[in-house]
Amino acid sequence: RNVITGNTAGAGGGVDAYVFFGADALIAANAISSNTAIYGGGLELGGAGVPVVTNNLIFGNSAVAGGAGTGLGGGADAYYSNAQIINNTIAGNAARTGGGVAILSDGAPRLANNILLENQASSAGGAADLESPGAAALSNIFHLNARGTCSGSSASLCSEPSNQETDPLLVDPAGTDFRPRPDSPAIDSAPAAGAPADDFRGQRRPLDGNRDGVPAHDRGAYEFDRNDVPGLEFTLGPAGSTRL
């Protein structure tokens, strides 16, 4: 739950996490914005370990090109890492390749339940550049990512049917309010497998956002809460009464 903003580095403008084989790390519920690096404007995830990146707002970061093979992963760059990038909102990041994320790995990284919105690449892969045949890209929402949604040798992973190319209908992305609106397709549309137990602000998951009587996880860093009271959810009881 850190605010990490306005930093500059060669790799990992906001955070550089080198996780060794057999080790893990947790990067959760941070606002990572306006950072700059050559590799991984917001995050650089290296090594063969398993960092879990979840419930973060990753926005407005940039990976600047300083030569051939640079400018990778505006939001996050996973380099030979088994990174588990789950339930984040990744928006408005920029890079030469992989505006939102860039993943190069021989292992089994995972990109799941994220919202990737308005990221841009000057070369290819506005949302993601995937060079990882063992990766999984599942239940993400892609929208308005410049230079194509996905690029790289594993770009076809983004065509998996659980991914959507649609407007996530967030409250005010331009004003950095990335909460879902009541009509958002992110609501109650993510699988429970691997999803966190709460969201960016500490609201529990899952809630019954669409009021069908079945709580289900939302995509992105926020779980839709009609009342915006973390830890509480109000529902209609018998005869129109209200209960907790």
Side-chain angles (χ1 to χ4, degrees):
R1 302 190 189 282
N2 302 285
V3 175
I4 303 170
T5 186
N7 303 287
T8 302
V15 176
D16 183 11
Y18 191 96
V19 184
F20 291 94
F21 181 80
D24 58 17
L26 176 64
I27 300 170
N30 304 287
I32 303 171
S33 68
S34 303
N35 302 289
T36 303
I38 296 173
Y39 303 97
L43 295 164
E44 175 71 10
L45 307 166
V50 186
V52 176
V53 179
T54 187
N55 280 337
N56 298 284
L57 301 178
I58 303 172
F59 62 97
N61 303 284
S62 58
V64 297
T70 63
L72 298 172
D77 178 38
Y79 183 69
Y80 289 104
S81 167
N82 286 303
Q84 307 296 295
I85 302 173
I86 301 172
N87 274 106
N88 303 280
T89 298
I90 303 170
N93 302 286
R96 181 195 314 212
T97 305
V101 298
I103 298 176
L104 170 64
S105 176
D106 293 329
R110 184 178 181 88
L111 183 70
N113 298 0
N114 302 284
I115 295 173
L116 294 103
L117 171 67
E118 295 183 351
N119 301 287
Q120 55 185 303
S122 59
S123 177
D129 183 69
L130 303 176
E131 306 281 354
S132 179
L138 305 168
S139 299
N140 301 288
I141 292 179
F142 303 111
H143 188 59
L144 294 180
N145 297 287
R147 283 290 188 182
T149 299
C150 294
S151 64
S153 61
S154 305
S156 62
L157 294 170
C158 293
S159 299
E160 204 279 336
S162 65
N163 295 309
Q164 295 184 27
E165 290 264 7
T166 189
D167 189 339
L169 299 176
L170 306 182
V171 172
D172 182 15
T176 68
D177 188 341
F178 298 110
R179 293 174 299 156
R181 291 171 10 196
D183 53 348
S184 171
I187 295 171
D188 285 16
S189 64
D198 61 3
D199 75 352
F200 170 77
R201 65 199 160 171
Q203 177 61 282
R204 73 180 189 275
R205 298 181 190 258
L207 299 178
D208 182 13
N210 62 7
R211 290 183 171 177
D212 66 353
V214 181
H217 291 79
D218 297 354
R219 309 188 202 202
Y222 284 102
E223 186 79 1
F224 176 66
D225 173 11
R226 292 183 293 272
N227 314 288
D228 281 322
V229 182
L232 295 177
E233 181 189 15
F234 296 91
T235 60
L236 293 178
S241 62
T242 303
R243 65 188 179 188
L244 291 181

